[in-house]
Amino acid sequence: MNTILDIKDLRVEYRNRAIGQTTKLAVNGLNLSVQPGEVFGFLGPNGAGKTTTMNVLLGFVNATSGSASLFGVDVREPIARQRIGYLPELTYYYKFLTAEELLRFYAKVFGIPRAETEKRIDELIKLVELEPARKRPIKSYSKGMQQRVGLAQALINNPDLLILDEPTSGLDPIGRMKVREIIQRLKNDGKTVFFSSHELGEVETVCDRVAILHQGELKVEGRVDDLMQKYKANLEQIFLRIIGYQPVAVS
Amino acid sequence: MNTIFALAQVVIKELYRRKDFYVLFILTVLITLLMASASIFHDDKIVRYLKDICLLLIWISALVMAVGTAARQIPAERENRTIFPLLAKPVSRAQVIAGKFLGCWLASGMALVVFYLFLGLVCASREHEWHVFIYLQALWLQWVFLAVIIALVLFGSVIFAAPSSNATISIVVVISIWFLGSHLNTVALQQAEPMRSIIYTIYFLIPHLEWYDIRDLVVHNRPLVSGTICGLATLYGAAYTGVFLFATWLCFRRKPLN
């Protein structure tokens, strides 16, 4: 089976520009691989190195050492991103464009033919339930609507791998449910999903495998069922144990 | 090329959905028409003053628009984080730079066409004749001038993070080059070594933007600049544009975005 996402001995250091300051180690010796059709949960507390790893996978940040590849292509090559969809944690889109224009722009970037683009836009707008607002500028959308536009743009190229950075952060329960349904639908369609989240209940429901990162290092990796059996605990308890969380007694 | 054109289209859409162009155009129209309504010195050739003022306003407006638009492109993409979903697509950083440049340049060109049409209408209403070719040549040379400026400002935008500081520094640099650049050789002659060589080096390194300003020829209805000179000026401008865009790419290609 061909590995979709492969990370080998990844190390990322950030240089601190202040005089006398040392470099900050964000990720250290990370090894990870994701197989086709898997839903992979990438977990860790804030500052664990999840976003940095995603930034390396998407070519935003260069690795200090080690390597990362998507579909066997080095992530530094733009072509590695031809078959992926990416949903950032917060909505970062051109607010003066309408949802339709935004999707048309990204379709052009992927080189999707015009007739197919229009069909795809109709499908996606329907999927994310934005039909009444499709011709309104994004700046007039609520946060939930902007997140749904984000999801639509991530799916414009019918990607084989979807990278989602905390896709349900800031969404109301209905929005979260909708995103979970879409992830489930993608999984049923045989797509690979790699996502980070702090919603461990959600991760437990939809993920096949998870990895827990702490202070830039991989602490645990495995199938959700196997981990729960091994630790005899649910994912949240495993997570807290791995990161060494000690509950403070409240008097 | 599809990606570059798609990026350029977004820049153009942004320009016509913002108010900058409309404000500058309306100001130019109002000031020019106000001047046209006054009879200064009872001069029969008042149209020359009118042309002079209108062209000055066109140059200022075009410069402000080009610098303002180009200065905010990459910093605003980073500040609003729109660069992330964009670069998560199969888009290289070179394509981002090329698309941004093309968008700014085409948008400036479209704005120039509107401005020069207005100039032509105002002058034709007074002179009762159309000097189409000299207007076209002035427009073309100004557009080449703007290509150099936009590339220079894009280069600045990968060095200075804030659009406002980049725009201010770029305006100061452009105006200094435009108005002082042509005098540097004279200044160099009056200096002792090694200052003379340094100033001469600067004189030959900077783009001579003053060559693109043919307002006097338009104002006084002088003959066209020869096609060869116009072509050479275009090549000279294209070379500097290429150098600035290449420098922009060199600075931007490995820049961490986080």
Side-chain angles (χ1 to χ4, degrees):
Chain A
M1 207 169 355
N2 292 331
T3 304
I4 294 244
L5 184 158
D6 198 20
I7 297 173
K8 281 187 185 137
D9 296 322
L10 185 73
R11 184 183 172 90
V12 184
E13 286 172 7
Y14 288 122
R15 253 184 299 169
N16 199 324
R17 290 187 178 192
I19 296 165
Q21 296 288 311
T22 52
T23 55
K24 184 186 174 261
L25 187 59
V27 178
N28 188 17
L30 180 65
N31 286 290
L32 210 62
S33 65
V34 178
Q35 305 305 321
E38 269 187 336
V39 177
F40 193 97
F42 197 45
L43 315 176
N46 289 334
K50 303 185 300 289
T51 302
T52 300
T53 307
M54 285 195 172
N55 284 347
V56 171
L57 288 173
L58 295 159
F60 305 154
V61 168
N62 293 306
T64 308
S65 64
S67 67
S69 63
L70 296 170
F71 305 97
V73 181
D74 190 315
V75 291
R76 287 171 297 182
E77 299 292 329
I79 197 72
R81 300 188 285 277
Q82 183 69 36
R83 289 162 64 193
I84 70 161
Y86 167 61
L87 176 68
E89 181 185 349
L90 296 169
T91 47
Y92 312 130
Y93 308 106
Y94 302 106
K95 299 214 158 102
F96 53 89
L97 296 181
T98 64
E100 260 185 23
E101 287 172 338
L102 186 83
L103 294 178
R104 211 168 279 134
F105 164 62
Y106 286 129
K108 261 187 206 162
V109 165
F110 278 108
I112 302 170
R114 187 172 288 199
E116 200 184 316
T117 298
E118 297 307 317
K119 204 175 129 212
R120 190 95 190 112
I121 290 173
D122 288 341
E123 281 170 11
L124 290 172
I125 295 255
K126 203 170 160 193
L127 177 77
V128 297
E129 294 170 7
L130 277 175
E131 281 143 316
R134 62 190 290 167
K135 290 192 191 295
R136 265 171 39 200
I138 293 171
K139 65 180 168 205
S140 68
Y141 286 11
S142 68
K143 193 175 178 190
M145 288 164 86
Q146 292 190 17
Q147 192 75 345
R148 281 185 273 154
V149 172
L151 204 51
Q153 67 79 29
L155 297 170
I156 190 75
N157 58 328
N158 194 14
D160 292 319
L161 167 66
L162 208 61
I163 298 179
L164 312 173
D165 192 1
E166 299 184 27
T168 54
S169 107
L171 291 184
D172 62 16
I174 301 167
R176 279 185 204 174
M177 180 75 81
K178 189 81 208 159
V179 171
R180 209 179 303 156
E181 277 172 19
I182 292 171
I183 294 175
Q184 197 63 50
R185 193 183 302 185
L186 292 166
K187 183 183 176 179
N188 296 342
D189 290 347
K191 306 286 184 191
T192 310
V193 182
F194 180 82
F195 81 106
S196 72
S197 178
H198 291 300
E199 304 289 334
L200 299 179
E202 176 183 282
V203 172
E204 204 175 295
T205 319
V206 297
C207 287
D208 299 312
R209 275 202 309 143
V210 292
I212 300 176
L213 211 64
H214 185 44
Q215 292 174 338
E217 287 179 8
L218 182 66
K219 297 294 180 188
V220 163
E221 189 212 338
R223 295 193 64 78
V224 177
D225 299 341
D226 295 347
L227 290 175
M228 284 163 61
Q229 212 166 19
K230 183 180 165 191
Y231 288 89
K232 298 200 176 3
N234 66 23
L235 198 56
E236 187 168 305
Q237 290 162 332
I238 298 169
F239 179 85
L240 294 174
R241 206 181 299 170
I242 299 287
I243 64 165
Y245 176 76
Q246 296 293 329
V248 180
V250 180
S251 57
Chain B
M1 277 312 269
N2 247 1
T3 304
I4 294 171
F5 281 119
L7 278 160
Q9 270 178 358
V10 170
V11 177
I12 294 168
K13 268 187 190 145
E14 186 193 6
L15 187 82
Y16 73 68
R17 284 179 189 174
R18 284 173 67 101
K19 295 184 184 77
D20 313 22
F21 167 72
Y22 306 104
V23 169
L24 288 166
F25 182 65
I26 290 168
L27 271 178
T28 303
V29 169
L30 284 178
I31 295 171
T32 310
L33 292 181
L34 193 72
M35 299 306 290
S37 65
S39 176
I40 303 163
F41 310 126
H42 303 288
D43 188 351
D44 295 339
K45 302 267 184 180
I46 189 81
V47 70
R48 282 184 304 189
Y49 298 108
L50 211 57
K51 273 188 197 175
D52 206 5
I53 288 161
C54 191
L55 278 168
L56 178 68
L57 290 169
I58 291 174
W59 273 80
I60 294 171
S61 301
L63 184 65
V64 168
M65 233 166 9
V67 171
T69 310
R72 70 171 170 262
Q73 287 309 315
I74 292 172
E77 286 264 6
R78 293 185 67 181
E79 205 174 290
N80 302 331
R81 306 179 78 83
T82 46
I83 193 98
F84 293 107
L86 177 62
L87 286 179
K89 311 278 183 287
V91 177
S92 67
R93 295 189 186 196
Q95 283 172 319
V96 172
I97 293 165
K100 294 289 179 192
F101 168 77
L102 189 66
C104 292
W105 193 49
L106 290 177
S108 307
M110 282 151 65
L112 276 185
V113 169
V114 176
F115 276 112
Y116 274 86
L117 270 175
F118 170 70
L119 171 75
L121 280 173
V122 168
C123 297
S125 70
R126 291 297 177 105
E127 287 180 323
H128 308 294
E129 55 182 329
W130 287 90
H131 302 283
V132 178
F133 292 109
I134 190 75
Y135 292 151
L136 280 177
Q137 193 170 58
L139 189 153
W140 172 256
L141 288 173
Q142 191 174 353
W143 200 27
V144 176
F145 164 92
L146 289 178
V148 181
I149 305 300
I150 290 166
L152 175 70
V153 177
L154 280 177
F155 175 54
S157 75
V158 293
I159 296 170
F160 309 108
S164 53
S165 57
N166 180 32
T168 312
I169 293 167
S170 301
I171 291 255
V172 171
V173 170
V174 167
I175 290 177
S176 309
I177 293 176
W178 187 3
F179 292 108
L180 304 177
S182 59
H183 303 294
L184 281 181
N185 57 340
T186 320
V187 175
L189 280 175
Q190 295 161 359
Q191 304 295 318
E193 287 294 351
M195 208 55 194
R196 176 183 290 194
S197 301
I198 293 169
I199 296 175
Y200 258 128
T201 310
I202 295 170
Y203 176 77
F204 286 110
L205 276 181
I206 58 169
H208 284 272
L209 300 172
E210 70 278 6
W211 294 349
Y212 300 93
D213 183 0
I214 58 163
R215 280 180 294 160
D216 282 348
L217 305 188
V218 180
V219 169
H220 300 288
N221 291 336
R222 297 259 166 77
L224 288 169
V225 176
S226 85
T228 316
I229 292 176
C230 196
L232 286 173
T234 304
L235 284 177
Y236 178 83
Y240 271 98
T241 304
V243 167
F244 288 133
L245 288 179
F246 182 67
T248 310
W249 174 74
L250 280 180
C251 290
F252 189 53
R253 73 190 170 128
R254 306 280 292 169
K255 213 175 182 99
L257 303 168
N258 51 354

